[in-house]
Amino acid sequence: MMIAHPGSEVRVLVRSRPTANFAQELIEYLPDGQTVSVHQRKDSRKGVVNNQLSSWSFRLDGVLHDVSQEEVYGRVGRGVVLGALEGYNGTVMCFGQTGAGKTYTMTGATENYKQRGIIPRALQEVFHEVEQRSDHAFSVHLSFLEIYNETLVDLLASVRGCPGVGPGGMAVVEEAGGGVSVRGLSLHPVHSEEVALNLLFEGEMNRIIGAHALNKNSSRSHCILTVHIESRSRTLSDAKYVTSKLNLVDLAGSERLGKTGSEGQVLKEAMYINKSLSFLEQAILALADRRRDHVPFRQTKLTHALKDSLGGNCNTVLVANIYGEASQIEETLSTLRFASRMKCVQMDPVVNEHTDPVLQVRKLEKEIQLLKQELSIHNTLANRMGMSYDTLSETQVAEIQSQVRRYLEGSLDEINSQGSQGTVGVVEGHGFGVGLAVPSDRHIRLLSPGRTKAIKTKELARSVDNMSDLVFLPSSSPPPKAEAFEDFKAERGSEINRILKENKVVLLERRARLRELTECVNTAKREIDSTSTALHQWRDKRQSQGQFVSAEGVPVLDEAELSLTLRLRELKTQYRQQYEELRGTKAEVSYCQHLVDQCRTRLLTEFESWYNESFLLPEEVQAMLRSGGPIRPGLVPVYKALRLRYELVADSPSAISFYNAQNRTVQRVSLTHTNTHCG
């Protein structure tokens, strides 16, 4: 990303329109890639000898000759776009004669993805970066202004939901900070690349074009697409945020009326275009002349609308488009002269940083609360109860200042916090208070919003008459966490600590029952094994001696075998009951353990938060907060429904938004055409 340094010049690049008749003998691009030399043959009809040449050399920031649209964007637009996302204003502008390729450079071919120009590529880059920078919340809006025959036109007035303002109701107005805005120009929120491209193509469809000898689709107006960006940090509890304006300017082409053969309405348009471009050159000359205090921005609507886009607090890049044929050499020279003048304009871009008053008030209120908590803790530790924090009267202030002066002079050994005025403490109205015995080594602990440090009284002496931002506290360090934790459990965290204790008691009871059941189950299992073994041995013995049967022939168990059988059945029933209870108790123990862990985690978390708020400095708290904030997951566009349709552009997935918007434009054009013919 290329951000202009303070005092640097506007970046200017020249791009030549591809042609089979490029005048190599008249236009020369030097090997350094920055210098253009032009050789013009003098006209003998003006009284000059034939075959004499006049040469000019123009050193710019780059030459774009026979290069792709992608390379043009990379060298011209990418740095400006990335700078805008950081809070720097940016402008990319094309200037040159009609038919030299300005609109192709800025917008490109809307029906071809690879030939899209700087504007659609810039919109794609903006939303790609917004998606990647999940630690910031971005707000993006678009406006599209056309200046036709010195009339301001809103190219997006046709968008549904736009209130629409007539051309007479729009005007360029000055802003408080020195910038400009257009009253009545609609501003459209955009949340995706596709929505932004829809608006771009909608505006392009509404542009005024005409035909003449040099260009069948000549832009007959100046157009300014502006991307308004606002960025706020998601991870920092900061009231500051940044804004920027990214202006993408497609100027109408200058033309020599004799060559274009313009007449009628086209002639009138050409005269307005040439007049506005002439005044633009005058403004550029004034900007380049550091001795000039006044710049004639208000001469035309174009220069007035571009007031905050030409150098100054803006990263400005100009693309000078030329037609490299011998018949257009005079227009090429004129364009290169304008480019060289533009390169003399100075830039001094700075980040447009603002403060949200609502967030700032909340931040200060939180800071005041932290300071009061710190004072309260110090008072408690020093057994100073009943400190007053009411606004001091003028008499109290005078008494305190007198004591401080005498203490600094050495005539008073200790600042007395008691007296006829009562106990004096820190107050919001004056920002300082006394209620503590100052240490004998005459070091004073100075506490101001966001910072704490110990300073010697000599260092403070020169500021004793201006004590509105001082707070005097004894030098002390935060208590050990172990001690503070006990205090926290007894006070602030008493409720969660009580719940934790109750859960621990239940957990201990369930664990004890689990141990009992485990022992009972193990005992029952051992008895089952023992009884089963004895029963098998008895049956083996009986079988060896023969089976005893009744008169009916039914086997009869003797008393010992019957007793073992009944005991085994009883033990198995007892085992099953105890095992089921054991399983239930295990689940209860697991659940109770989860509750205990949850309560313990909450207790420790709340203690850490309380400890930081109570004993650490605001900067340290802020550093802690900055170390881990909520991170918004990246937004991933969903194109499942269109996947099959766009298999042909699988090699360029980013083209989907472009083609979606382009197809909608085609549909709108077809619908308009159908309605026109049907009407």
Side-chain angles (χ1 to χ4, degrees), residues 107 119 142-148 151-160 162 165 170 184-186 188 198-209 221-225 248 250 668:
T107 305
I119 296 179
L142 283 187
S143 64
F144 207 171
L145 174 69
E146 180 180 48
I147 304 175
Y148 173 71
T151 301
L152 302 177
V153 180
D154 186 355
L155 288 175
L156 299 179
S158 60
V159 176
R160 182 178 300 177
C162 177
V165 177
M170 299 178 62
L185 181 64
S186 61
H188 301 262
N198 281 334
L199 293 176
L200 168 64
F201 295 154
E202 174 77 18
E204 286 292 330
M205 191 170 63
N206 294 330
R207 286 190 65 174
I208 297 174
I209 62 174
S221 61
H222 311 294
C223 287
I224 305 173
L225 178 78
L248 304 169
D250 181 13
R668 286 197 300 272

mmCIF file of all heavy atoms in Angstrom, residues 107 119 142-148 151-160 162 165 170 184-186 188 198-209 221-225 248 250 668:
data_model
loop_
_atom_site.group_PDB
_atom_site.id
_atom_site.type_symbol
_atom_site.label_atom_id
_atom_site.label_comp_id
_atom_site.label_asym_id
_atom_site.label_seq_id
_atom_site.Cartn_x
_atom_site.Cartn_y
_atom_site.Cartn_z
ATOM 1 N N THR A 107 -14.053 2.442 -15.864
ATOM 2 C CA THR A 107 -15.147 1.476 -15.729
ATOM 3 C C THR A 107 -14.846 0.174 -16.448
ATOM 4 O O THR A 107 -15.190 -0.904 -15.968
ATOM 5 C CB THR A 107 -16.461 2.072 -16.273
ATOM 6 O OG1 THR A 107 -16.720 3.307 -15.615
ATOM 7 C CG2 THR A 107 -17.616 1.125 -16.044
ATOM 8 N N ILE A 119 -12.856 1.117 -11.284
ATOM 9 C CA ILE A 119 -13.973 1.250 -10.338
ATOM 10 C C ILE A 119 -14.490 -0.110 -9.873
ATOM 11 O O ILE A 119 -14.565 -0.352 -8.659
ATOM 12 C CB ILE A 119 -15.100 2.106 -10.945
ATOM 13 C CG1 ILE A 119 -14.609 3.538 -11.179
ATOM 14 C CG2 ILE A 119 -16.313 2.109 -10.031
ATOM 15 C CD1 ILE A 119 -15.646 4.458 -11.809
ATOM 16 N N LEU A 142 -22.451 4.502 -1.010
ATOM 17 C CA LEU A 142 -22.075 4.937 -2.360
ATOM 18 C C LEU A 142 -22.927 6.125 -2.795
ATOM 19 O O LEU A 142 -24.110 6.214 -2.452
ATOM 20 C CB LEU A 142 -22.296 3.813 -3.373
ATOM 21 C CG LEU A 142 -21.287 2.664 -3.455
ATOM 22 C CD1 LEU A 142 -21.634 1.782 -4.629
ATOM 23 C CD2 LEU A 142 -19.880 3.176 -3.582
ATOM 24 N N SER A 143 -22.308 7.015 -3.552
ATOM 25 C CA SER A 143 -23.035 8.068 -4.261
ATOM 26 C C SER A 143 -22.445 8.179 -5.657
ATOM 27 O O SER A 143 -21.281 7.846 -5.871
ATOM 28 C CB SER A 143 -22.938 9.406 -3.514
ATOM 29 O OG SER A 143 -21.590 9.861 -3.472
ATOM 30 N N PHE A 144 -23.254 8.627 -6.619
ATOM 31 C CA PHE A 144 -22.807 8.678 -8.015
ATOM 32 C C PHE A 144 -23.320 10.000 -8.605
ATOM 33 O O PHE A 144 -24.513 10.170 -8.842
ATOM 34 C CB PHE A 144 -23.369 7.483 -8.785
ATOM 35 C CG PHE A 144 -22.529 7.059 -9.968
ATOM 36 C CD1 PHE A 144 -22.799 5.880 -10.648
ATOM 37 C CD2 PHE A 144 -21.457 7.834 -10.416
ATOM 38 C CE1 PHE A 144 -22.038 5.478 -11.729
ATOM 39 C CE2 PHE A 144 -20.689 7.443 -11.488
ATOM 40 C CZ PHE A 144 -20.978 6.262 -12.146
ATOM 41 N N LEU A 145 -22.391 10.920 -8.850
ATOM 42 C CA LEU A 145 -22.737 12.266 -9.306
ATOM 43 C C LEU A 145 -22.324 12.459 -10.756
ATOM 44 O O LEU A 145 -21.221 12.065 -11.162
ATOM 45 C CB LEU A 145 -22.042 13.309 -8.424
ATOM 46 C CG LEU A 145 -22.171 14.772 -8.851
ATOM 47 C CD1 LEU A 145 -23.608 15.246 -8.655
ATOM 48 C CD2 LEU A 145 -21.204 15.649 -8.050
ATOM 49 N N GLU A 146 -23.192 13.086 -11.532
ATOM 50 C CA GLU A 146 -22.879 13.464 -12.909
ATOM 51 C C GLU A 146 -22.972 14.989 -13.027
ATOM 52 O O GLU A 146 -23.889 15.603 -12.468
ATOM 53 C CB GLU A 146 -23.863 12.815 -13.881
ATOM 54 C CG GLU A 146 -23.576 13.181 -15.344
ATOM 55 C CD GLU A 146 -24.566 12.522 -16.295
ATOM 56 O OE1 GLU A 146 -25.778 12.596 -16.032
ATOM 57 O OE2 GLU A 146 -24.115 11.935 -17.289
ATOM 58 N N ILE A 147 -22.010 15.579 -13.720
ATOM 59 C CA ILE A 147 -22.037 17.019 -13.997
ATOM 60 C C ILE A 147 -22.170 17.180 -15.506
ATOM 61 O O ILE A 147 -21.231 16.931 -16.264
ATOM 62 C CB ILE A 147 -20.767 17.716 -13.478
ATOM 63 C CG1 ILE A 147 -20.582 17.444 -11.988
ATOM 64 C CG2 ILE A 147 -20.843 19.215 -13.741
ATOM 65 C CD1 ILE A 147 -19.293 18.004 -11.416
ATOM 66 N N TYR A 148 -23.361 17.580 -15.928
ATOM 67 C CA TYR A 148 -23.672 17.684 -17.353
ATOM 68 C C TYR A 148 -24.108 19.116 -17.659
ATOM 69 O O TYR A 148 -25.083 19.623 -17.106
ATOM 70 C CB TYR A 148 -24.795 16.706 -17.712
ATOM 71 C CG TYR A 148 -25.316 16.855 -19.120
ATOM 72 C CD1 TYR A 148 -24.541 16.474 -20.213
ATOM 73 C CD2 TYR A 148 -26.587 17.374 -19.353
ATOM 74 C CE1 TYR A 148 -25.016 16.605 -21.506
ATOM 75 C CE2 TYR A 148 -27.081 17.511 -20.648
ATOM 76 C CZ TYR A 148 -26.285 17.127 -21.724
ATOM 77 O OH TYR A 148 -26.748 17.262 -22.999
ATOM 78 N N THR A 151 -24.769 21.247 -14.779
ATOM 79 C CA THR A 151 -25.917 20.851 -13.970
ATOM 80 C C THR A 151 -25.565 19.576 -13.212
ATOM 81 O O THR A 151 -25.003 18.637 -13.794
ATOM 82 C CB THR A 151 -27.153 20.591 -14.860
ATOM 83 O OG1 THR A 151 -27.461 21.776 -15.589
ATOM 84 C CG2 THR A 151 -28.350 20.187 -14.012
ATOM 85 N N LEU A 152 -25.881 19.565 -11.919
ATOM 86 C CA LEU A 152 -25.612 18.395 -11.092
ATOM 87 C C LEU A 152 -26.752 17.399 -11.242
ATOM 88 O O LEU A 152 -27.930 17.752 -11.105
ATOM 89 C CB LEU A 152 -25.460 18.802 -9.620
ATOM 90 C CG LEU A 152 -24.357 19.822 -9.314
ATOM 91 C CD1 LEU A 152 -24.367 20.175 -7.838
ATOM 92 C CD2 LEU A 152 -22.990 19.281 -9.718
ATOM 93 N N VAL A 153 -26.397 16.126 -11.505
ATOM 94 C CA VAL A 153 -27.397 15.077 -11.715
ATOM 95 C C VAL A 153 -27.048 13.887 -10.828
ATOM 96 O O VAL A 153 -25.882 13.463 -10.767
ATOM 97 C CB VAL A 153 -27.447 14.624 -13.191
ATOM 98 C CG1 VAL A 153 -28.495 13.533 -13.384
ATOM 99 C CG2 VAL A 153 -27.718 15.811 -14.111
ATOM 100 N N ASP A 154 -28.053 13.360 -10.132
ATOM 101 C CA ASP A 154 -27.874 12.163 -9.311
ATOM 102 C C ASP A 154 -28.132 10.941 -10.194
ATOM 103 O O ASP A 154 -29.266 10.675 -10.579
ATOM 104 C CB ASP A 154 -28.841 12.189 -8.125
ATOM 105 C CG ASP A 154 -28.602 11.035 -7.161
ATOM 106 O OD1 ASP A 154 -27.761 10.169 -7.460
ATOM 107 O OD2 ASP A 154 -29.262 11.010 -6.102
ATOM 108 N N LEU A 155 -27.075 10.189 -10.510
ATOM 109 C CA LEU A 155 -27.220 9.035 -11.393
ATOM 110 C C LEU A 155 -27.946 7.870 -10.727
ATOM 111 O O LEU A 155 -28.333 6.915 -11.407
ATOM 112 C CB LEU A 155 -25.844 8.572 -11.880
ATOM 113 C CG LEU A 155 -25.154 9.490 -12.890
ATOM 114 C CD1 LEU A 155 -23.751 8.987 -13.187
ATOM 115 C CD2 LEU A 155 -25.960 9.602 -14.166
ATOM 116 N N LEU A 156 -28.102 7.910 -9.401
ATOM 117 C CA LEU A 156 -28.770 6.834 -8.691
ATOM 118 C C LEU A 156 -30.155 7.244 -8.198
ATOM 119 O O LEU A 156 -30.732 6.598 -7.323
ATOM 120 C CB LEU A 156 -27.912 6.357 -7.514
ATOM 121 C CG LEU A 156 -26.540 5.790 -7.897
ATOM 122 C CD1 LEU A 156 -25.774 5.369 -6.664
ATOM 123 C CD2 LEU A 156 -26.684 4.614 -8.854
ATOM 124 N N ALA A 157 -30.675 8.341 -8.739
ATOM 125 C CA ALA A 157 -32.007 8.795 -8.322
ATOM 126 C C ALA A 157 -33.086 7.809 -8.742
ATOM 127 O O ALA A 157 -34.176 7.788 -8.173
ATOM 128 C CB ALA A 157 -32.297 10.173 -8.907
ATOM 129 N N SER A 158 -32.787 6.960 -9.719
ATOM 130 C CA SER A 158 -33.795 6.011 -10.197
ATOM 131 C C SER A 158 -33.894 4.769 -9.331
ATOM 132 O O SER A 158 -34.794 3.953 -9.517
ATOM 133 C CB SER A 158 -33.453 5.586 -11.635
ATOM 134 O OG SER A 158 -32.176 4.964 -11.676
ATOM 135 N N VAL A 159 -32.949 4.624 -8.386
ATOM 136 C CA VAL A 159 -32.968 3.437 -7.526
ATOM 137 C C VAL A 159 -34.207 3.466 -6.647
ATOM 138 O O VAL A 159 -34.568 4.502 -6.088
ATOM 139 C CB VAL A 159 -31.691 3.378 -6.662
ATOM 140 C CG1 VAL A 159 -31.753 2.196 -5.697
ATOM 141 C CG2 VAL A 159 -30.467 3.257 -7.560
ATOM 142 N N ARG A 160 -34.858 2.319 -6.520
ATOM 143 C CA ARG A 160 -36.103 2.237 -5.743
ATOM 144 C C ARG A 160 -35.843 2.664 -4.302
ATOM 145 O O ARG A 160 -34.849 2.286 -3.683
ATOM 146 C CB ARG A 160 -36.625 0.806 -5.758
ATOM 147 C CG ARG A 160 -37.951 0.626 -5.011
ATOM 148 C CD ARG A 160 -38.428 -0.800 -5.114
ATOM 149 N NE ARG A 160 -38.641 -1.184 -6.502
ATOM 150 C CZ ARG A 160 -38.998 -2.414 -6.878
ATOM 151 N NH1 ARG A 160 -39.159 -3.353 -5.976
ATOM 152 N NH2 ARG A 160 -39.172 -2.692 -8.157
ATOM 153 N N CYS A 162 -35.262 5.706 -3.381
ATOM 154 C CA CYS A 162 -34.547 6.981 -3.346
ATOM 155 C C CYS A 162 -35.556 8.118 -3.477
ATOM 156 O O CYS A 162 -36.373 8.122 -4.401
ATOM 157 C CB CYS A 162 -33.524 7.040 -4.472
ATOM 158 S SG CYS A 162 -32.639 8.603 -4.561
ATOM 159 N N VAL A 165 -34.200 14.102 -5.993
ATOM 160 C CA VAL A 165 -34.165 15.562 -5.917
ATOM 161 C C VAL A 165 -33.936 16.090 -7.313
ATOM 162 O O VAL A 165 -33.072 15.600 -8.039
ATOM 163 C CB VAL A 165 -33.049 16.038 -4.963
ATOM 164 C CG1 VAL A 165 -32.984 17.549 -4.948
ATOM 165 C CG2 VAL A 165 -33.281 15.504 -3.560
ATOM 166 N N MET A 170 -30.023 20.436 -6.183
ATOM 167 C CA MET A 170 -28.694 19.948 -5.793
ATOM 168 C C MET A 170 -27.686 21.086 -5.889
ATOM 169 O O MET A 170 -27.751 21.921 -6.794
ATOM 170 C CB MET A 170 -28.269 18.783 -6.698
ATOM 171 C CG MET A 170 -29.195 17.581 -6.614
ATOM 172 S SD MET A 170 -28.698 16.252 -7.749
ATOM 173 C CE MET A 170 -27.075 15.843 -7.112
ATOM 174 N N GLY A 184 -28.491 17.130 -1.548
ATOM 175 C CA GLY A 184 -29.501 16.501 -2.391
ATOM 176 C C GLY A 184 -29.025 15.249 -3.099
ATOM 177 O O GLY A 184 -29.826 14.567 -3.736
ATOM 178 N N LEU A 185 -27.724 14.913 -2.990
ATOM 179 C CA LEU A 185 -27.199 13.709 -3.639
ATOM 180 C C LEU A 185 -27.501 12.501 -2.759
ATOM 181 O O LEU A 185 -27.178 12.491 -1.572
ATOM 182 C CB LEU A 185 -25.690 13.844 -3.858
ATOM 183 C CG LEU A 185 -24.988 12.679 -4.556
ATOM 184 C CD1 LEU A 185 -25.505 12.514 -5.976
ATOM 185 C CD2 LEU A 185 -23.470 12.905 -4.565
ATOM 186 N N SER A 186 -28.135 11.482 -3.337
ATOM 187 C CA SER A 186 -28.527 10.313 -2.543
ATOM 188 C C SER A 186 -27.302 9.503 -2.147
ATOM 189 O O SER A 186 -26.329 9.382 -2.894
ATOM 190 C CB SER A 186 -29.499 9.436 -3.336
ATOM 191 O OG SER A 186 -28.897 8.963 -4.534
ATOM 192 N N HIS A 188 -26.251 5.697 -0.659
ATOM 193 C CA HIS A 188 -26.828 4.354 -0.604
ATOM 194 C C HIS A 188 -25.934 3.419 0.212
ATOM 195 O O HIS A 188 -24.751 3.255 -0.104
ATOM 196 C CB HIS A 188 -26.985 3.791 -2.015
ATOM 197 C CG HIS A 188 -27.865 4.628 -2.891
ATOM 198 N ND1 HIS A 188 -29.190 4.342 -3.102
ATOM 199 C CD2 HIS A 188 -27.608 5.775 -3.585
ATOM 200 C CE1 HIS A 188 -29.720 5.255 -3.900
ATOM 201 N NE2 HIS A 188 -28.777 6.137 -4.205
ATOM 202 N N ASN A 198 -24.210 -3.397 -8.685
ATOM 203 C CA ASN A 198 -25.547 -3.080 -9.204
ATOM 204 C C ASN A 198 -25.745 -1.575 -9.303
ATOM 205 O O ASN A 198 -26.279 -1.059 -10.295
ATOM 206 C CB ASN A 198 -26.620 -3.680 -8.287
ATOM 207 C CG ASN A 198 -26.824 -5.163 -8.534
ATOM 208 O OD1 ASN A 198 -26.575 -5.655 -9.625
ATOM 209 N ND2 ASN A 198 -27.248 -5.872 -7.510
ATOM 210 N N LEU A 199 -25.321 -0.853 -8.253
ATOM 211 C CA LEU A 199 -25.465 0.596 -8.267
ATOM 212 C C LEU A 199 -24.565 1.228 -9.331
ATOM 213 O O LEU A 199 -24.958 2.188 -10.004
ATOM 214 C CB LEU A 199 -25.127 1.162 -6.881
ATOM 215 C CG LEU A 199 -26.092 0.786 -5.754
ATOM 216 C CD1 LEU A 199 -25.589 1.317 -4.417
ATOM 217 C CD2 LEU A 199 -27.489 1.334 -6.034
ATOM 218 N N LEU A 200 -23.354 0.703 -9.470
ATOM 219 C CA LEU A 200 -22.441 1.220 -10.494
ATOM 220 C C LEU A 200 -23.057 1.077 -11.885
ATOM 221 O O LEU A 200 -23.092 2.030 -12.670
ATOM 222 C CB LEU A 200 -21.101 0.475 -10.430
ATOM 223 C CG LEU A 200 -20.148 0.709 -11.606
ATOM 224 C CD1 LEU A 200 -19.705 2.164 -11.669
ATOM 225 C CD2 LEU A 200 -18.938 -0.225 -11.518
ATOM 226 N N PHE A 201 -23.543 -0.119 -12.198
ATOM 227 C CA PHE A 201 -24.092 -0.351 -13.530
ATOM 228 C C PHE A 201 -25.389 0.424 -13.740
ATOM 229 O O PHE A 201 -25.695 0.848 -14.854
ATOM 230 C CB PHE A 201 -24.316 -1.848 -13.750
ATOM 231 C CG PHE A 201 -23.037 -2.650 -13.751
ATOM 232 C CD1 PHE A 201 -23.031 -3.994 -13.400
ATOM 233 C CD2 PHE A 201 -21.837 -2.060 -14.086
ATOM 234 C CE1 PHE A 201 -21.852 -4.728 -13.398
ATOM 235 C CE2 PHE A 201 -20.651 -2.790 -14.084
ATOM 236 C CZ PHE A 201 -20.661 -4.124 -13.742
ATOM 237 N N GLU A 202 -26.159 0.596 -12.663
ATOM 238 C CA GLU A 202 -27.369 1.416 -12.761
ATOM 239 C C GLU A 202 -27.009 2.840 -13.142
ATOM 240 O O GLU A 202 -27.621 3.456 -14.022
ATOM 241 C CB GLU A 202 -28.109 1.403 -11.418
ATOM 242 C CG GLU A 202 -29.311 2.326 -11.350
ATOM 243 C CD GLU A 202 -30.524 1.779 -12.064
ATOM 244 O OE1 GLU A 202 -30.556 0.559 -12.314
ATOM 245 O OE2 GLU A 202 -31.432 2.562 -12.380
ATOM 246 N N GLY A 203 -25.994 3.399 -12.467
ATOM 247 C CA GLY A 203 -25.564 4.758 -12.779
ATOM 248 C C GLY A 203 -24.972 4.880 -14.163
ATOM 249 O O GLY A 203 -25.235 5.857 -14.880
ATOM 250 N N GLU A 204 -24.176 3.894 -14.572
ATOM 251 C CA GLU A 204 -23.584 3.923 -15.906
ATOM 252 C C GLU A 204 -24.668 3.902 -16.982
ATOM 253 O O GLU A 204 -24.543 4.545 -18.021
ATOM 254 C CB GLU A 204 -22.645 2.723 -16.087
ATOM 255 C CG GLU A 204 -21.325 2.842 -15.352
ATOM 256 C CD GLU A 204 -20.438 3.923 -15.925
ATOM 257 O OE1 GLU A 204 -20.516 4.190 -17.144
ATOM 258 O OE2 GLU A 204 -19.676 4.531 -15.151
ATOM 259 N N MET A 205 -25.741 3.186 -16.717
ATOM 260 C CA MET A 205 -26.831 3.113 -17.684
ATOM 261 C C MET A 205 -27.530 4.463 -17.821
ATOM 262 O O MET A 205 -28.105 4.783 -18.870
ATOM 263 C CB MET A 205 -27.832 2.041 -17.238
ATOM 264 C CG MET A 205 -28.874 1.687 -18.283
ATOM 265 S SD MET A 205 -29.845 0.233 -17.810
ATOM 266 C CE MET A 205 -30.641 0.854 -16.330
ATOM 267 N N ASN A 206 -27.480 5.275 -16.760
ATOM 268 C CA ASN A 206 -28.149 6.575 -16.777
ATOM 269 C C ASN A 206 -27.260 7.703 -17.290
ATOM 270 O O ASN A 206 -27.709 8.849 -17.391
ATOM 271 C CB ASN A 206 -28.634 6.925 -15.365
ATOM 272 C CG ASN A 206 -29.714 5.985 -14.890
ATOM 273 O OD1 ASN A 206 -30.481 5.454 -15.701
ATOM 274 N ND2 ASN A 206 -29.782 5.754 -13.590
ATOM 275 N N ARG A 207 -25.982 7.413 -17.583
ATOM 276 C CA ARG A 207 -25.071 8.464 -18.053
ATOM 277 C C ARG A 207 -25.464 8.947 -19.446
ATOM 278 O O ARG A 207 -26.074 8.224 -20.243
ATOM 279 C CB ARG A 207 -23.631 7.960 -18.085
ATOM 280 C CG ARG A 207 -22.988 7.827 -16.737
ATOM 281 C CD ARG A 207 -21.500 7.563 -16.850
ATOM 282 N NE ARG A 207 -20.780 8.691 -17.436
ATOM 283 C CZ ARG A 207 -19.457 8.761 -17.538
ATOM 284 N NH1 ARG A 207 -18.705 7.763 -17.094
ATOM 285 N NH2 ARG A 207 -18.876 9.803 -18.064
ATOM 286 N N ILE A 208 -25.069 10.166 -19.710
ATOM 287 C CA ILE A 208 -25.358 10.778 -21.013
ATOM 288 C C ILE A 208 -24.153 10.582 -21.926
ATOM 289 O O ILE A 208 -23.035 10.969 -21.583
ATOM 290 C CB ILE A 208 -25.669 12.275 -20.854
ATOM 291 C CG1 ILE A 208 -26.930 12.452 -20.005
ATOM 292 C CG2 ILE A 208 -25.816 12.940 -22.214
ATOM 293 C CD1 ILE A 208 -27.239 13.888 -19.681
ATOM 294 N N ILE A 209 -24.375 9.971 -23.072
ATOM 295 C CA ILE A 209 -23.306 9.757 -24.041
ATOM 296 C C ILE A 209 -23.740 10.309 -25.385
ATOM 297 O O ILE A 209 -24.924 10.539 -25.639
ATOM 298 C CB ILE A 209 -22.939 8.258 -24.178
ATOM 299 C CG1 ILE A 209 -24.149 7.464 -24.680
ATOM 300 C CG2 ILE A 209 -22.435 7.690 -22.870
ATOM 301 C CD1 ILE A 209 -23.839 6.016 -24.992
ATOM 302 N N SER A 221 -20.328 13.981 -20.096
ATOM 303 C CA SER A 221 -20.425 14.552 -18.757
ATOM 304 C C SER A 221 -19.269 14.050 -17.901
ATOM 305 O O SER A 221 -18.607 13.062 -18.224
ATOM 306 C CB SER A 221 -21.760 14.160 -18.107
ATOM 307 O OG SER A 221 -21.840 12.747 -17.996
ATOM 308 N N HIS A 222 -19.037 14.758 -16.801
ATOM 309 C CA HIS A 222 -18.075 14.320 -15.790
ATOM 310 C C HIS A 222 -18.829 13.497 -14.750
ATOM 311 O O HIS A 222 -19.936 13.854 -14.352
ATOM 312 C CB HIS A 222 -17.412 15.509 -15.103
ATOM 313 C CG HIS A 222 -16.879 16.538 -16.058
ATOM 314 N ND1 HIS A 222 -15.842 16.284 -16.922
ATOM 315 C CD2 HIS A 222 -17.246 17.835 -16.276
ATOM 316 C CE1 HIS A 222 -15.575 17.382 -17.631
ATOM 317 N NE2 HIS A 222 -16.427 18.339 -17.255
ATOM 318 N N CYS A 223 -18.218 12.400 -14.297
ATOM 319 C CA CYS A 223 -18.869 11.542 -13.301
ATOM 320 C C CYS A 223 -17.940 11.271 -12.132
ATOM 321 O O CYS A 223 -16.735 11.035 -12.327
ATOM 322 C CB CYS A 223 -19.301 10.215 -13.928
ATOM 323 S SG CYS A 223 -20.717 10.400 -15.022
ATOM 324 N N ILE A 224 -18.511 11.312 -10.929
ATOM 325 C CA ILE A 224 -17.741 11.071 -9.705
ATOM 326 C C ILE A 224 -18.481 10.021 -8.881
ATOM 327 O O ILE A 224 -19.552 10.292 -8.331
ATOM 328 C CB ILE A 224 -17.570 12.358 -8.877
ATOM 329 C CG1 ILE A 224 -16.937 13.471 -9.720
ATOM 330 C CG2 ILE A 224 -16.737 12.081 -7.633
ATOM 331 C CD1 ILE A 224 -16.899 14.822 -9.010
ATOM 332 N N LEU A 225 -17.923 8.820 -8.812
ATOM 333 C CA LEU A 225 -18.442 7.792 -7.920
ATOM 334 C C LEU A 225 -17.671 7.892 -6.611
ATOM 335 O O LEU A 225 -16.444 7.800 -6.601
ATOM 336 C CB LEU A 225 -18.270 6.400 -8.523
ATOM 337 C CG LEU A 225 -18.743 5.248 -7.639
ATOM 338 C CD1 LEU A 225 -20.258 5.132 -7.685
ATOM 339 C CD2 LEU A 225 -18.117 3.921 -8.056
ATOM 340 N N LEU A 248 -13.745 8.266 -7.296
ATOM 341 C CA LEU A 248 -13.328 7.658 -8.556
ATOM 342 C C LEU A 248 -13.944 8.498 -9.671
ATOM 343 O O LEU A 248 -15.161 8.480 -9.885
ATOM 344 C CB LEU A 248 -13.798 6.204 -8.615
ATOM 345 C CG LEU A 248 -13.300 5.351 -7.426
ATOM 346 C CD1 LEU A 248 -14.001 4.016 -7.384
ATOM 347 C CD2 LEU A 248 -11.791 5.171 -7.493
ATOM 348 N N ASP A 250 -14.301 10.031 -13.503
ATOM 349 C CA ASP A 250 -14.179 9.848 -14.952
ATOM 350 C C ASP A 250 -14.564 11.177 -15.602
ATOM 351 O O ASP A 250 -15.741 11.518 -15.691
ATOM 352 C CB ASP A 250 -15.105 8.720 -15.412
ATOM 353 C CG ASP A 250 -15.005 8.476 -16.914
ATOM 354 O OD1 ASP A 250 -14.061 9.007 -17.542
ATOM 355 O OD2 ASP A 250 -15.878 7.770 -17.452
ATOM 356 N N ARG A 668 -32.526 -5.054 -16.863
ATOM 357 C CA ARG A 668 -33.176 -3.753 -16.747
ATOM 358 C C ARG A 668 -33.247 -3.054 -18.103
ATOM 359 O O ARG A 668 -34.250 -2.442 -18.455
ATOM 360 C CB ARG A 668 -32.424 -2.871 -15.736
ATOM 361 C CG ARG A 668 -32.633 -3.279 -14.298
ATOM 362 C CD ARG A 668 -32.227 -2.145 -13.362
ATOM 363 N NE ARG A 668 -30.835 -1.770 -13.519
ATOM 364 C CZ ARG A 668 -29.834 -2.348 -12.847
ATOM 365 N NH1 ARG A 668 -30.089 -3.314 -11.987
ATOM 366 N NH2 ARG A 668 -28.591 -1.948 -13.024
#
